[in-house]
Amino acid sequence: MFITFEGIEGSGKSTQITRLSHWLSTEFDLSPVVTREPGGCEIADKIRAILLDTANSAMNEQAELLLYAAARAQHVAQIIQPALEQGRVVLCDRFSDATLAYQGFGRGLALPLITQINSLATLGIVPDLTLLLDFDPEIGLTRARERNAITTGPDENRFEQENLDFHRRIRDGYLLLAAAEDRFCVIDANGDTETVAARIQTIIAAKLQYGQAL
Ligand code: TMP
């Protein structure tokens, strides 16, 4: 099963992925592959560094879109597809929906074009479940900026430097995507880590109960 996490900056995706992975290991004896985009393998990590570098503020929207697609194509072929073929559960921090949200709703590139490029990069792989951690962009952005100042330094902040309107468009875009497809579950990401983790576990447990093998 392929589960992706989506949401604006500072919505708590990474923390929740780690917790879900731990819960799946302890409760269900599964050992999920945990990965992320952009990145997840050596070549895609190098592309990530280019994409997020604040020194690259001159990058144009088309170049940005194609770099995300290039990173995804490598990551899918090298990590995600083989893991799914081996029957592993894959938890991925962002995937193709992020490109629709950020490059589509955020930058204004055409959604059908992005969908086409995504289908090339993903080899047609679509998540079985997408957990959208919905959160207020103003609080999320402040949280992400504070965290990045401590952990990643100034170099991975190109998107944190975008204004609040950009992040509001992304949040609204994600909600539109979620309304259009059944594979999405929108999670209220307000509350402490345990509360949000419990919401996610309820959804996964319900899926297991209805016989959807993880
Ligand atoms: P992260 O902060 O979740 O690691 O993601 C890095 C940034 O890349 C984040 O600001 C969202 C952005 N992004 C896109 O713009 N398009 C994409 O397709 C992906 C995967 C991420």
Side-chain angles (χ1 to χ4, degrees):
M1 186 165 187
F2 183 28
I3 303 175
T4 57
F5 281 68
E6 299 284 356
I8 56 155
E9 331 290 318
S11 56
K13 291 177 288 90
S14 314
T15 308
Q16 292 302 333
I17 285 197
T18 307
R19 292 191 67 115
L20 180 61
S21 170
H22 183 253
W23 184 72
L24 289 172
S25 308
T26 52
E27 297 293 317
F28 299 95
D29 204 19
L30 294 163
S31 54
V33 173
V34 178
T35 188
R36 69 166 179 184
E37 290 204 347
C41 60
E42 205 180 330
I43 293 171
D45 278 334
K46 288 181 180 163
I47 300 173
R48 176 187 176 94
I50 297 171
L51 277 163
L52 303 186
D53 189 344
T54 45
N56 291 335
S57 58
M59 187 185 299
N60 87 357
E61 287 138 14
Q62 289 77 7
E64 182 180 282
L65 169 64
L66 293 169
L67 283 173
Y68 276 109
R72 180 162 305 129
Q74 187 66 33
H75 181 220
V76 168
Q78 199 178 323
I79 306 290
I80 295 179
Q81 190 184 47
L84 292 174
E85 278 173 3
Q86 286 164 23
R88 304 279 302 274
V89 174
V90 177
L91 305 180
C92 190
D93 189 342
R94 299 193 187 281
F95 194 58
S96 47
D97 298 306
T99 318
L100 289 164
Y102 281 79
Q103 282 63 54
F105 291 96
R107 300 281 191 226
L109 293 176
L111 299 179
L113 172 73
I114 297 174
T115 302
Q116 224 179 338
I117 292 173
N118 269 345
S119 70
L120 174 72
T122 59
L123 302 174
I125 292 173
V126 177
D128 297 295
L129 174 66
T130 298
L131 299 167
L132 171 57
L133 270 60
D134 185 44
F135 200 58
D136 182 326
E138 200 163 348
I139 309 172
L141 202 51
T142 308
R143 203 197 251 183
R145 282 174 180 159
E146 284 169 2
R147 178 198 57 205
N148 284 2
I150 302 165
T151 57
T152 61
D155 288 346
E156 267 213 350
N157 295 347
R158 204 165 63 83
F159 283 81
E160 278 81 356
Q161 289 184 345
E162 292 290 340
N163 64 27
L164 192 54
D165 267 358
F166 177 78
H167 292 278
R168 286 199 177 115
R169 286 201 298 280
I170 288 158
R171 193 247 191 125
D172 294 345
Y174 267 133
L175 290 172
L176 282 173
L177 294 174
E181 279 193 70
D182 284 347
R183 70 179 158 86
F184 274 91
C185 274
V186 181
I187 314 276
D188 176 4
N190 290 289
D192 57 32
T193 306
E194 272 75 40
T195 307
V196 179
R199 288 178 190 139
I200 292 172
Q201 287 165 13
T202 304
I203 286 163
I204 304 285
K207 295 234 167 252
L208 286 172
Q209 204 179 351
Y210 286 106
Q212 292 185 4
L214 278 183

